[in-house]
Amino acid sequence: MDVHTEMLDLIGAWALDACEIDEAAAVEAHLNTCPTCAAEARRLRSAAGWLGLDGVLPVPEGLRHRTLTAARAKRPPALIRTLLGAYAGQASLLDGLLDGVRPDDWQRADPRHETVTGVVAHLAGNDAMLAADLGLRVVDIPAAAGPGVRDAWWEQTQVLMEGLADEAVLDQPVRMASSQRPPLRPLRDALVQRAFETWIHLDDIRAVIGKGQTTPPPEQVRRIVELAIELLPGALDAHGAARPGHTVRLVLDGAGGGEWTFPMGAEQPGGAEVTIQADAVEFTRLVANRRSPDTIRHSATGNQAVSAGVLRVAAMLGCD
Amino acid sequence: MPPDETDVRLRERLVAGDDDALAEAYDRWANLIHVLAARITDDAAAAEDITQDVFVRLWQAPEAYDPERGALRTWLCMLARSRALDWTRRREARARYHAVATATGAVVPDQPDVDDAVIWRTETKVVREAVQALPDLQREAVQLAYYHGHTYRQVARELNIPEGTAKSRLRLALSNIADRLAAEGILER
């Protein structure tokens, strides 16, 4: 029997991990040189993989957290890669959406930036501001029809992603996108915001062309919430809504949710507490001003005027 | 069949240390890995530990997964299976030493009301039917190899058949399952 036939005979056993170790090594060596056997091996191995699906069993509560914590303890994540990965993920979703827009979609009306083209140009402008602060190349946005603007936006995202190496200083202060004067914040916050803003405009354009909303991955939702909570005390001060001696407990449900407590202003927190409960993703939409304090589904206990003030200021944190 | 683009990208992100990529892998496959570990070990605590081990391993050494050899999903399943079989063998060894039946938190799959249970149940049904549709001799051989971790030589001994026959039965059985899953749109042709 020639080697090929002998190996082909073994592939079923190999796919089930049912060979001896030396046989498995021989099969794998053969697969590197024989496309026919490699294709058959993939097919049978996939079938073997599906054999595990044998019923429905809820994964225990808490196992996700335990598993991710155990993994991070063994190998610390690279924060810069995580933040860039989230940004790249949203950019790639938006790029995929823009692939499918029809020529006349570019001129459809958007409530904040006139047209779909305007939304993409606005996003590219904010990406360019970050690139400028990092000393990276700024891509000019053409005063052209949608596709040209889209190309410039995409190119700018690539400049950012390729320009930020592993040794980027995440504490470096850069301008954040804002509807008012851009505040300076560490680069890590700006990267959370780039992913956040790209997702929000993705959903804006989806709404314009009649598609439904999307939801970011839970970890991304959590980072947006945490950034908002970091900004809130200062923002409450700036908008004259601070209440020294008051504390807010924010209870957010759903993917990316959790519980956070923060002071109602830069002063030390005090005893009087309001609790606001809402869905985590909805809260991030409020921060983007895509939900208003009146339309976000929530419950509040404690002083209602205080909780209304928190929601009002939270809705001013994002940019347009 | 070229490697799946999503798997290749996910692997790159894991190698780079992107923390969200791990969470994404967990959210996609934890359910499957956990069921598989529970099915083989019949022990709730072991199923949890194995699920955790599989994803910790993926995070620690994502390079070990080769997209050319198949889907990441398959790789994780086979890893979980081998860990589960190891655990089962250790338990059997302990039982032999102590001659004490281990008290197991028996696991009963098939509880409804799980997220995306509909897709899950459909796929489960298709897989089960594919296994049930096998000729008895093929099904017996696959179950010994997959769930009990027997090599084809042990399968041959167990079923009292020549080794060549055991090899070809395993290959035919998997090939039949692959055809059926492809016909149902679960596997690419």
Side-chain angles (χ1 to χ4, degrees):
Chain A
M1 193 159 49
D2 69 309
V3 168
H4 172 77
T5 314
E6 195 185 329
M7 291 301 150
L8 201 54
D9 264 0
L10 265 175
I11 283 180
W14 171 85
L16 286 157
D17 284 340
C19 296
E20 305 300 337
I21 291 173
D22 55 335
E23 289 174 324
V27 170
E28 283 169 42
H30 177 67
L31 296 182
N32 290 329
T33 60
C34 176
T36 313
C37 282
E40 181 66 355
R42 274 182 75 94
R43 194 174 77 94
L44 298 189
R45 188 80 161 173
S46 299
W50 278 99
L51 284 175
L53 186 56
D54 187 46
V56 180
L57 187 68
V59 179
E61 195 72 37
L63 183 59
R64 184 184 199 269
H65 180 72
R66 277 204 302 285
T67 300
L68 299 185
T69 307
R72 289 170 191 143
K74 297 263 184 192
R75 177 190 171 209
L79 183 56
I80 179 81
R81 288 292 137 206
T82 306
L83 298 177
L84 283 172
Y87 172 49
Q90 293 298 345
S92 141
L93 288 175
L94 177 53
D95 193 51
L97 177 73
L98 297 177
D99 250 344
V101 302
R102 296 189 305 269
D104 55 333
D105 285 334
W106 289 101
Q107 293 314 310
R108 282 178 186 265
D110 172 81
R112 292 177 188 80
H113 302 287
E114 294 183 5
T115 61
V116 168
T117 302
V119 175
V120 179
H122 159 82
L123 183 62
N126 284 336
D127 285 333
M129 182 170 73
L130 178 60
D133 285 4
L134 294 168
L136 297 170
R137 186 164 61 89
V138 169
V139 179
D140 283 332
I141 302 159
V149 174
R150 173 200 172 178
D151 291 345
W153 160 74
W154 180 253
E155 196 182 335
Q156 188 67 80
T157 65
Q158 299 311 296
V159 167
L160 276 175
M161 286 171 209
E162 287 156 20
L164 278 163
D166 283 355
E167 51 277 2
V169 181
L170 287 167
D171 292 333
Q172 177 186 345
V174 293
R175 284 172 296 168
M176 296 276 279
S178 163
S179 39
Q180 292 115 33
R181 204 166 60 83
L184 285 177
R185 299 281 309 173
L187 172 59
R188 80 168 61 83
D189 290 355
L191 288 175
V192 170
Q193 191 192 38
R194 297 319 317 127
F196 179 28
E197 200 193 340
T198 307
W199 162 54
I200 288 294
H201 292 316
L202 163 78
D203 271 12
D204 286 346
I205 296 171
R206 289 177 65 92
V208 169
I209 62 177
K211 291 180 183 251
Q213 293 182 318
T214 63
T215 303
E219 276 63 30
Q220 201 180 324
V221 171
R222 178 179 288 264
R223 284 194 296 268
I224 297 168
V225 169
E226 289 181 341
L227 175 58
I229 285 169
E230 216 171 306
L231 297 171
L232 264 169
L236 288 162
D237 271 337
H239 291 284
R243 294 283 187 109
H246 277 76
T247 305
V248 181
R249 193 163 70 97
L250 188 63
V251 181
L252 298 178
D253 309 317
E259 273 196 37
W260 292 267
T261 302
F262 58 92
M264 281 289 289
E267 297 284 320
Q268 281 306 300
E273 189 177 88
V274 298
T275 298
I276 299 172
Q277 186 154 13
D279 171 80
V281 178
E282 284 296 286
F283 180 78
T284 62
R285 291 195 176 109
L286 171 83
V287 171
N289 200 19
R290 268 42 177 192
R291 292 284 182 278
S292 78
D294 304 326
T295 58
I296 185 170
R297 289 185 51 185
H298 71 284
S299 62
T301 58
N303 186 323
Q304 297 296 305
V306 172
S307 55
V310 173
L311 294 178
R312 187 172 55 80
V313 173
M316 300 184 207
L317 288 174
C319 67
D320 294 333
Chain B
M1 223 176 10
D4 179 275
E5 202 44 53
T6 327
D7 284 347
V8 171
R9 180 81 196 100
L10 194 59
R11 180 184 181 274
E12 279 171 7
R13 288 170 58 204
L14 290 163
V15 170
D18 178 342
D19 195 35
D20 289 6
L22 174 65
E24 210 171 291
Y26 182 93
D27 291 337
R28 275 176 73 182
W29 295 302
N31 223 326
L32 175 70
I33 299 303
H34 178 250
V35 164
L36 170 57
R39 165 78 167 79
I40 293 176
T41 60
D42 195 24
D43 183 284
E48 285 193 42
D49 290 347
I50 289 161
T51 305
Q52 178 170 318
D53 281 353
V54 164
F55 287 101
V56 169
R57 167 82 203 282
L58 174 68
W59 175 246
Q60 275 190 288
E63 305 83 1
Y65 161 62
D66 175 4
E68 291 292 335
R69 286 279 177 267
L72 179 52
R73 177 190 187 288
T74 306
W75 188 79
L76 292 170
C77 278
M78 294 317 261
L79 181 60
R81 171 183 167 274
S82 95
R83 297 272 162 115
L85 288 167
D86 288 347
W87 185 92
T88 307
R89 289 185 191 115
R90 283 199 305 274
R91 177 179 59 186
E92 282 162 2
R94 279 195 305 274
R96 276 198 300 275
Y97 278 120
H98 302 293
V100 173
T102 36
T104 58
V107 167
V108 188
D110 246 346
Q111 303 176 13
D113 74 11
V114 174
D115 287 349
D116 53 20
V118 175
I119 295 177
W120 187 259
R121 268 204 293 273
T122 308
E123 289 177 343
T124 303
K125 190 164 162 287
V126 170
V127 173
R128 275 194 183 162
E129 283 169 356
V131 174
Q132 276 157 5
L134 292 172
D136 288 350
L137 295 173
Q138 286 178 24
R139 190 174 51 251
E140 213 172 11
V142 151
Q143 285 175 331
L144 283 172
Y146 189 84
Y147 293 117
H148 298 278
H150 287 13
T151 63
Y152 74 89
R153 291 198 171 126
Q154 292 169 316
V155 171
R157 274 200 299 278
E158 183 98 10
L159 300 178
N160 207 8
I161 52 176
E163 286 180 2
T165 309
K167 272 192 285 197
S168 60
R169 266 187 209 172
L170 291 177
R171 190 181 150 200
L172 273 172
L174 280 185
S175 187
N176 284 330
I177 291 169
D179 285 346
R180 204 164 161 125
L181 296 184
E184 296 284 351
I186 286 185
L187 272 189
E188 286 178 42
R189 283 182 185 279

